Amino acid sequence: MDSPNQVTIRISDLGISDYALGLFESGYPRDAIRHEAQDLLNELQQRIGRDDIDGQTLIEIALRDNKPILEFNQRSTPKERDEHASLRLFLLGVNRAVRNVYSHDVRTDVSALEATIWLGLLGRLRDQLERTYLVSIGPESQKAD
């Protein structure tokens, strides 16, 4: 039983992809984090039909405040607008602080605890991303010919 200062977390309950879960369970926490962060961007590309852009640009185009391509609420109240903006800002942060850092710094050890914290955040973002729906396809969201 958990005490007030302890929590048991089942990695399988975090909402991450099966592949990232397998990496973590096999002893590859860094690779699990990297995979999950990249897979979120791949999911975003798929949802807006843009495999020609990636990273910061992809996130900004898909989830901008004005005329977004994707949303997961109507953005009609301050709370809804904050939730929408927070998804964009979290994904921007994840792209820089997780995907980029864990892809380039391959020598620093990553503990199971550190990986669990990141995977928990990534699982939460995956849940929000899966609840998005397409709302517009403007000229700036079209592929360049």
Side-chain angles (χ1 to χ4, degrees):
M1 185 160 85
D2 296 335
S3 74
N5 296 324
Q6 283 186 314
V7 175
T8 301
I9 297 173
R10 287 192 189 106
I11 301 299
S12 60
D13 292 342
L14 294 178
I16 60 173
S17 67
D18 289 339
Y19 191 80
L21 178 61
L23 287 168
F24 182 86
E25 290 174 338
S26 297
Y28 299 100
R30 172 190 310 286
D31 293 327
I33 296 167
R34 285 179 16 197
H35 171 80
E36 196 64 15
Q38 182 60 51
D39 197 47
L40 281 173
L41 291 179
N42 293 350
E43 176 71 19
L44 188 56
Q45 283 178 322
Q46 182 180 4
R47 286 184 175 272
I48 68 167
R50 291 291 305 265
D51 61 359
D52 61 319
I53 55 173
D54 193 22
Q56 306 293 100
T57 303
L58 169 69
I59 297 162
E60 290 287 359
I61 287 173
L63 295 164
R64 61 185 160 238
D65 285 331
N66 296 316
K67 298 181 182 177
I69 298 169
L70 292 176
E71 60 186 17
F72 68 96
N73 63 38
Q74 295 297 307
R75 298 176 299 113
S76 58
T77 66
K79 179 182 182 251
E80 288 179 342
R81 288 188 291 278
D82 284 347
E83 288 172 337
H84 177 85
S86 71
L87 177 58
R88 183 186 71 254
L89 294 170
F90 266 122
L91 286 172
L92 287 167
V94 161
N95 185 62
R96 298 277 309 262
V98 181
R99 185 188 80 152
N100 291 356
V101 169
Y102 287 97
S103 292
H104 298 291
D105 176 12
V106 296
R107 291 186 176 179
T108 304
D109 287 333
V110 176
S111 70
L113 177 59
E114 181 179 357
T116 301
I117 292 167
W118 283 122
L119 291 171
L121 173 62
L122 294 167
R124 175 72 173 126
L125 293 173
R126 177 175 295 281
D127 176 62
Q128 286 185 315
L129 187 56
E130 288 175 350
R131 291 186 291 137
T132 63
Y133 49 90
L134 198 62
V135 291
S136 70
I137 301 179
E140 61 279 349
S141 68
Q142 299 293 320
K143 291 182 183 178
D145 289 331

